[in-house]
Every structure is written in C-alpha cells, then in structure tokens.
Amino acid sequence: MHTVEKIGGTSMSRFDELLSNIFIGQRTGDALYQRVFVVSAYSGMTNLLLEHKKTGEPGVYQRFADARNEGAWLDALEAVRQKMVEKNAELFQTEFELRAANQFINARIDDARECMSSLQRLCAYGHFQLDEHLMKVREMLASLGEAHSAFNSVLAIKHRGVNAKMVDLTGWHRDAPLPFEEMVRESFVEVDLARELVVATGYTHCSEGLMNTFDRGYSEITFAQIAAATGAREAIIHKEFHLSSADPNLVGADKVVTIGRTNYDVADQLSNLGMEAIHPRAAKTLRRAGIELRIKNAFEPDHAGTLISQDYKSERPCVEIIAGRKDVFGIEVFDQDMLGDVGYDIEISRMLKQLRLYVVNKDSDANSITYYASGSRKLINRAARLIEEKYPAAEVTVHNVAIVSAIGSDLKVKGILAKTVAALAGAGISIQAVHQSIRQVEMQCVVNEEDYDDAVAALHRALIEPENHGDVIAAA
C-alpha cells in the first residue's frame, strides 16, 4: 500500500522545506516508509548540463556538440561541478556528509569528462562520427543532475535517523542497457518498502533511450513506470502550486479555487496547452495500471490537492479550469485547389512535424486550413516558406494569436458558447476562431496575442466565479 511521489527541480531547490513538509514532517516509525520519491535535478542544473530550456543558451552538451576542441566544453563542465559542490555546501553542515556528497558527484563528473574526452579523440578519426554518439552523451550528462539530487536526498534523510535507500536508475557503469520496463522492475526487486524510504533518480538509462522520445520530460515517464511496476496505491506529483481554476496572477489569488477532483481527459487537455499536470505518456501508463494521480502543493502538505481519476465526472456539467497558451502562431494556408484534397493536410502536417513544431489545434473550410502551432518565430517562418514552395498557388499567412480554453470533465453546459462569446465581447476582445469537440471536455477560443491575459480573466469571471455565472460552478 505504498505511494510513488515525484518532486520537481524547483521544489528540490527548497530541500530543507521538503524535509519538513514531505520526506519526514511529523511522521514517525512505520509512517515514514511505504513511499518512493522520484526526484529531478535541482533547479537550473539541467539547463547548465544541456542547454537553457527557455533561452536556448548552450550548456555542456551543446558546447560539446559544437566543439572543435576540448576547451570549448570543459570549462562549462567544471562550472557545473562548482555549482554542484556549492549546492552540497548549502545542504550539509557536517564534514562527513559534505565530504560524501562531494566525493559522489566529483567521481561522476570525472567519469563523464574522461568519457567525453575519449570520444572526442576517437571521433578525430574519419571512421567515427560524433553525431552518432551525441544522444548518448546528452543522456549521460542529464543523468548527472538527477544522481546528484537523489544521492544528497538519501544522505540528508539518513542523517535524520530514517532508513533511506537510493535507487540509481542512471545505469552508471552498467555493462549493457536493459529495456525500460525491465530496468525499473529489476531495480526494485530487492527494495523493502516497509523498511526503506526510497529515493529514485528521475532519469532511467535504458535500451530505448528515453531522451530520444521524451527529451527533458523523462522524469515523469520514470515516475509513472515505477508506480505501475510496483503496484502503487497512488501516484503523487508535488508542485510549487495547486492545480487551480486559473492562473492566480491573471485572475487574482482570491478568485481561484483548487480543482479538487478531475479526470485524465482534463489532464491531457492541459498538456496540449503546455500546462502539464503530467506528461500525457506518463498519464497513459497510470491509466492502464488503474492508478489515480494526485497533484499537491509541496509547501502545503496538509492540503489534499487535486485527485485525477480515469472515470471521474463532475456531479453536474461545469467548467473546472480556464487555461491557455500565448506562444502560438496561426499558419493559414489558402488554396482554391484544396477542395476535396486531403493530401494538403497530410503533407503540411508532415512538414510541421519534421520542423518539430507542436500543433495545438487546426481548423479548415473548403479551401483553407489553419494550423495553430507552437514554436520559435524562426521555425514558423521556415514552415511558411516550405509550404509556399510546395504549393506555389497557395497564400500562406502567419498570425500572432493566443488560445484560451474552458476545460472540464463534463462540459455539456447549456449556453456555454453564448456565455463565452458574451464574456469576451464584454471585455472588448475579438474572437478569431472557436473550437469545441463532441467529447465535451474543452472549448478553445483563438484571440489576438495581446488579449490573452484579459481573455483568461473574463472567462474565469463568467464561467467559474460563482457570483457572476449563476448555475455554472467550478468543482472545488
């Protein structure tokens, strides 16, 4: 009857609070156990090891991939070492713990440095190409961050008299990688959950290569697989905030409510909008295993948070959350020859996939298709040029837009479209497009980018805040 619980990098950087709130708190005796924690690297470490997630500033990996000599990336690796050692000094005051923490991460970094230097020398010969090995280097570097935080967590928990154990899924010094599911199962064979509090790395080394598919979303995939493989009673993700009815920064902290209950359909809609409660592939694993997911605020441990189930539906139709994303471009393709030819959609979708642009939604009429895609302006413009080259007669127009969504486990609310249109019109916002599917879990409104914040606030007032919307009440 154990739980599997994931803690993200931002929360891990407030480790003393986690010890008081989650890892130990008021628990004693047997209550300390029957828990597995899956930890991410401390905030900012993976950016330094790979590249900055938002700005693209190169880290160790990117410098290594572009390097012509060892010095180009070695300084960056040593800077990471310094940051990790500084983090150790911040966490540990006793000489024994600090020495153990530094020895562990220094050994890992020394191994990585030697491996990368040897690979660089090997690839100086024409028979070996660096590009063929870069993904392995990326995975190796990423694993350093999770190993660092997991080892430190176990060290700190043991210091407080709790029998903690590290499950190292990074495959360090393993002769050959195992398949993902087998790697997870094998790593837990000798774990006694009744007597050991387990801290596992968020990265798993496996024959499939998690980063090939999930890149930096691998920790939630590991978390879900551990829950499924060990038959967890419940899976829990600790965040820095509650899963609320909207962004409190946009609608006011006094206006939002914690959702409380919802289902995996709603979680998937949030993922599509880039506001992940959980990675959709991780959610799929939990769904298949019949495991419920709870989203909690790591710094409000007594709050039940939000429980996500497979079959839950709100007691009556209602809007549970107003969400959206601003980093969206509408790529509008108009061509008179498009009528009845599905090849346009197939070919353009293939182009966008090759450019790794994420398509949030799309709409079409007789002679036009508009793709609402997320990505850099540079890639969006490149996509537009490729479409024009493929279809010279087409007119391709790029629009700066945003998407605002009303989402709920049962959205069959009478008059919701009229309420939505009236709310946005009342706020002086022009709707560019509207999407609502038969499944009735989401309604999307496409608005001008500059209207996003006002649109979220207007829809929250109209569809969720009880004093303004009559019989449509969010589930609390």
Side-chain angles (χ1 to χ4, degrees):
M1 298 299 292
H2 67 282
T3 58
V4 175
E5 312 186 23
K6 179 186 177 297
I7 304 178
T10 305
S11 296
M12 285 299 296
S13 294
R14 298 167 64 179
F15 188 76
D16 284 342
E17 293 176 73
L18 294 183
L19 281 174
S20 301
N21 293 338
I22 299 174
F23 287 116
I24 299 177
Q26 302 303 312
R27 294 178 180 85
T28 59
D30 292 344
L32 287 162
Y33 303 105
Q34 296 290 7
R35 295 179 298 154
V36 177
F37 290 95
V38 181
V39 297
S40 297
Y42 298 114
S43 180
M45 289 298 182
T46 307
N47 286 341
L48 295 173
L49 286 162
L50 303 179
E51 67 283 318
H52 197 286
K53 194 172 184 178
K54 293 183 178 179
T55 67
E57 182 181 352
V60 179
Y61 167 77
Q62 199 58 56
R63 292 177 189 277
F64 180 79
D66 298 336
R68 295 186 179 181
N69 58 71
E70 190 177 76
W73 56 269
L74 194 54
D75 288 346
L77 183 61
E78 291 306 312
V80 171
R81 185 199 301 271
Q82 183 61 33
K83 284 286 186 183
M84 289 182 167
V85 168
E86 288 173 2
K87 186 65 181 178
N88 293 349
E90 176 187 322
L91 293 173
F92 302 115
Q93 278 69 54
T94 68
E95 183 179 347
F96 172 79
E97 289 175 312
L98 183 58
R99 186 188 305 116
N102 288 344
Q103 284 177 345
F104 175 82
I105 198 57
N106 279 328
R108 291 284 172 114
I109 290 177
D110 288 346
D111 283 352
R113 182 183 62 188
E114 181 60 31
C115 175
M116 293 165 68
S117 295
S118 298
L119 180 60
Q120 198 167 48
R121 288 193 296 271
L122 180 66
C123 291
Y125 298 91
H127 291 80
F128 300 92
Q129 301 302 313
L130 185 61
D131 289 350
E132 297 173 2
H133 306 282
L134 283 177
M135 186 52 69
K136 296 295 184 184
V137 173
R138 185 174 178 84
E139 296 212 2
M140 178 181 68
L141 287 169
S143 76
L144 294 175
E146 272 77 18
H148 179 223
S149 61
F151 182 87
N152 284 358
S153 298
V154 169
L155 199 61
I157 293 167
K158 280 184 173 180
H159 181 67
R160 285 155 179 81
V162 179
N163 186 26
K165 180 175 184 174
M166 177 180 175
V167 172
D168 188 354
L169 296 169
T170 65
W172 210 259
H173 291 164
R174 178 177 281 274
D175 292 337
L178 295 174
F180 178 46
E181 294 184 17
E182 185 179 344
M183 177 68 174
V184 172
R185 277 198 310 272
E186 182 185 282
S187 299
F188 279 84
V189 166
E190 297 183 0
V191 172
D192 183 355
L193 292 174
R195 298 183 179 183
E196 295 172 319
L197 188 156
V198 175
V199 180
T201 57
Y203 168 79
T204 301
H205 180 55
C206 58
S207 55
E208 296 93 332
L210 286 189
M211 295 193 81
N212 277 321
T213 305
F214 306 109
D215 198 46
R216 290 169 67 165
Y218 54 77
S219 62
E220 288 190 357
I221 308 302
T222 294
F223 155 75
Q225 188 57 47
I226 291 174
T230 60
R233 168 178 58 84
E234 186 173 272
I236 302 172
I237 295 180
H238 297 279
K239 295 182 176 287
E240 301 78 53
F241 47 81
H242 286 296
L243 191 59
S244 301
S245 56
D247 183 346
N249 295 319
L250 298 182
V251 305
D254 59 327
K255 303 279 197 310
V256 301
V257 293
T258 303
I259 293 174
R261 289 293 305 273
T262 192
N263 63 27
Y264 280 111
D265 271 0
V266 169
D268 286 345
Q269 309 315 312
L270 291 174
S271 295
N272 187 48
L273 294 170
M275 302 173 65
E276 289 184 0
I278 184 173
H279 192 288
R281 286 289 293 274
K284 180 180 178 181
T285 298
L286 295 177
R287 277 173 136 168
R288 284 183 170 178
I291 298 172
E292 293 181 320
L293 170 68
R294 190 178 298 275
I295 307 295
K296 295 193 68 173
N297 185 327
F299 307 104
E300 291 186 28
D302 296 329
H303 195 293
T306 296
L307 186 65
I308 300 174
S309 309
Q310 170 69 5
D311 300 320
Y312 172 81
K313 274 196 174 183
S314 53
E315 292 182 2
R316 53 176 170 163
C318 67
V319 177
E320 296 172 9
I321 184 168
I322 303 297
R325 64 188 302 165
K326 297 174 71 172
D327 61 332
V328 179
F329 296 90
I331 306 175
E332 180 187 357
V333 184
F334 171 83
D335 194 332
Q336 292 283 1
D337 296 331
M338 189 180 295
L339 182 62
D341 186 352
V342 297
Y344 277 79
D345 188 16
I346 294 171
E347 181 62 25
I348 295 171
S349 295
R350 184 189 63 80
M351 291 181 188
L352 298 179
K353 183 177 181 180
Q354 285 183 337
L355 291 173
R356 296 189 175 183
L357 290 169
Y358 184 78
V359 178
V360 181
N361 210 334
K362 62 184 176 181
D363 57 40
S364 63
D365 56 26
N367 51 21
S368 72
I369 305 177
T370 302
Y371 299 85
Y372 300 97
S374 174
S376 69
R377 183 73 198 214
K378 181 179 179 180
L379 284 177
I380 293 291
N381 289 340
R382 185 178 175 192
R385 289 195 300 272
L386 289 174
I387 295 169
E388 289 172 337
E389 290 171 5
K390 179 68 178 179
Y391 302 106
E395 297 176 16
V396 182
T397 309
V398 176
H399 305 272
N400 287 71
V401 297
I403 292 176
V404 181
S405 293
I407 305 171
S409 53
D410 183 359
L411 213 59
K412 295 176 182 176
V413 180
K414 290 183 179 180
I416 187 173
L417 179 58
K419 287 176 179 286
T420 299
V421 172
L424 294 178
I429 297 168
S430 176
I431 301 175
Q432 306 302 311
V434 176
H435 304 108
Q436 186 173 19
S437 66
I438 293 176
R439 193 168 177 83
Q440 299 289 340
V441 293
E442 180 184 32
M443 182 175 67
Q444 292 186 352
C445 295
V446 180
V447 300
N448 292 324
E449 183 182 34
E450 60 269 21
D451 291 330
Y452 175 79
D453 293 1
D454 291 339
V456 171
L459 291 188
H460 195 270
R461 282 195 302 271
L463 304 178
I464 290 183
E465 293 172 36
E467 66 271 24
N468 289 332
H469 72 279
D471 62 342
V472 182
I473 302 176

